[in-house]
Amino acid sequence: MKVNLIELKEKDPAAYGLTRASLIQKLIRRSQLEEALWVTKLFIDDKHEKGLKRRLLQIAAEDIGLVCPQAI
């Protein structure tokens, strides 16, 4: 199922925030750099840099920290 984030933002801002946060993690795990950067830009455009930072720290803890705790 494909989700149009721009339409979702207008219809349901709460779902947009959750979907955006989940999507960035999924794209990073799949090594889809261009798409992950596009979602990152959405965080910045929405002035949610703190939310982006929290999410990236969470991703690092879950995906990198297991292998290399010093990286976090």
Side-chain angles (χ1 to χ4, degrees):
M1 178 178 144
K2 290 195 175 198
V3 176
N4 183 329
L5 286 175
I6 306 306
E7 285 181 17
L8 185 61
K9 180 179 180 179
E10 294 174 9
K11 291 180 182 176
D12 190 348
Y16 164 75
L18 293 172
T19 302
R20 179 187 60 185
S22 176
L23 183 59
I24 194 169
Q25 186 166 3
K26 184 182 289 187
L27 293 169
I28 289 171
R29 285 181 174 168
R30 293 179 179 176
S31 299
Q32 293 179 294
L33 181 59
E34 294 293 323
E35 292 85 353
L37 289 173
W38 183 81
V39 177
T40 300
K41 186 178 179 315
L42 292 177
F43 274 93
I44 294 168
D45 290 347
D46 294 339
K47 299 190 183 353
H48 290 151
E49 293 89 352
K50 288 182 183 179
L52 174 62
K53 181 180 176 181
R54 275 194 315 271
R55 191 60 178 193
L56 291 176
L57 286 172
Q58 179 181 357
I59 293 167
E62 291 178 7
D63 298 339
I64 299 168
L66 299 174
V67 177
C68 183
Q70 303 88 337
I72 299 172

